[in-house]
Amino acid sequence: MKYLPIAILMLVMAFLPACNSTDDNWDDYKEWREVNDAWLQQKKDQKDDAGKAYYTKVIPEHDPNAYVLIHYFNDRSKTLGNLSPMITSTVDVKYHGRTYDDIPFDSSYTLTAAYGDSIYRTPLNSSIISGWRVALMDMRVGDTCEVIIPYQQGYGQMGSGPIKPYSNLIFGIKLVDIPGYEKPAK
């Protein structure tokens, strides 16, 4: 029994380095992170011609630490009565995505589907990035916007395919339809 404290101490010391290195990419992508962070801050601070914020920061009720930045191109008063998706909705969208440095990585405009050319149909509760959920649940059918998604609501520290870890993303999104829209429970 007198060796138990020593054994526990050795185990703790053996696992301590693993606890400190929660992110293997952190140092490898230091410069990329810094540039992405500076660009994101610039977008947060961007003003329109009237001196108002160009982007609206949208924070979901379910996660006050998450957010996206949205700039609507249409007059939202004209879509005021239109449907807005819920987490259980399936949406039809047209979109294009690129990294902060304007490198395209995905687009619905290359798709052909039975429900319409250039339409991407997806349930919001599927494996899409969380930034899309936040943005789309703020939109109404007919809205067109630019969405800035911080890497935490995108592909995070791992990246995906051509998207490097810690990449803030830009999406142009048009919410075309909410097929099979279900009414919210009262």
Side-chain angles (χ1 to χ4, degrees):
M1 263 336 242
K2 69 180 182 177
Y3 296 107
L4 186 59
I6 294 172
I8 291 172
L9 180 62
M10 290 176 66
L11 280 171
V12 168
M13 294 194 58
F15 288 105
L16 193 58
C19 292
N20 287 335
S21 111
T22 57
D23 186 353
D24 295 337
N25 293 325
W26 187 256
D27 292 333
D28 295 340
Y29 287 92
K30 181 178 190 251
E31 187 175 322
W32 179 255
R33 278 186 298 102
E34 289 172 350
V35 171
N36 267 269
D37 289 346
W39 175 85
L40 182 61
Q41 188 59 50
Q42 180 184 25
K43 293 297 180 185
K44 287 179 186 177
D45 296 340
Q46 187 174 339
K47 306 287 184 206
D48 66 13
D49 293 338
K52 295 182 179 178
Y54 185 78
Y55 293 97
T56 301
K57 188 175 187 177
V58 177
I59 301 170
E61 290 180 20
H62 67 274
D63 185 357
N65 295 316
Y67 72 93
V68 298
L69 303 175
I70 296 181
H71 174 77
Y72 287 97
F73 293 113
N74 59 289
D75 179 352
R76 292 205 77 209
S77 68
K78 294 182 179 178
T79 61
L80 190 57
N82 294 1
L83 298 175
S84 205
M86 298 182 292
I87 191 68
T88 56
S89 297
T90 294
V91 294
D92 285 353
V93 297
K94 292 185 177 188
Y95 74 92
H96 56 84
R98 54 194 201 282
T99 55
Y100 94 91
D101 53 354
D102 214 26
I103 305 295
F105 61 84
D106 195 11
S107 175
S108 69
Y109 293 94
T110 61
L111 302 175
T112 55
Y115 36 83
D117 283 349
S118 305
I119 301 286
Y120 175 66
R121 179 173 284 174
T122 187
L124 286 186
N125 59 2
S126 70
S127 61
I128 61 172
I129 58 176
S130 65
W132 261 50
R133 275 186 215 95
V134 174
L136 284 163
M137 289 175 70
D138 190 67
M139 296 176 74
R140 302 178 197 122
V141 172
D143 282 343
T144 302
C145 63
E146 180 172 85
V147 181
I148 306 294
I149 300 179
Y151 77 85
Q152 298 90 335
Q153 280 70 61
Y155 293 99
Q157 64 193 30
M158 300 307 292
S160 178
I163 303 168
K164 295 177 187 176
Y166 309 104
S167 290
N168 298 316
L169 306 173
I170 310 165
F171 281 94
I173 301 175
K174 177 176 178 80
L175 179 55
V176 177
D177 195 12
I178 306 171
Y181 185 80
E182 65 281 1
K183 301 250 188 257
K186 291 188 177 195

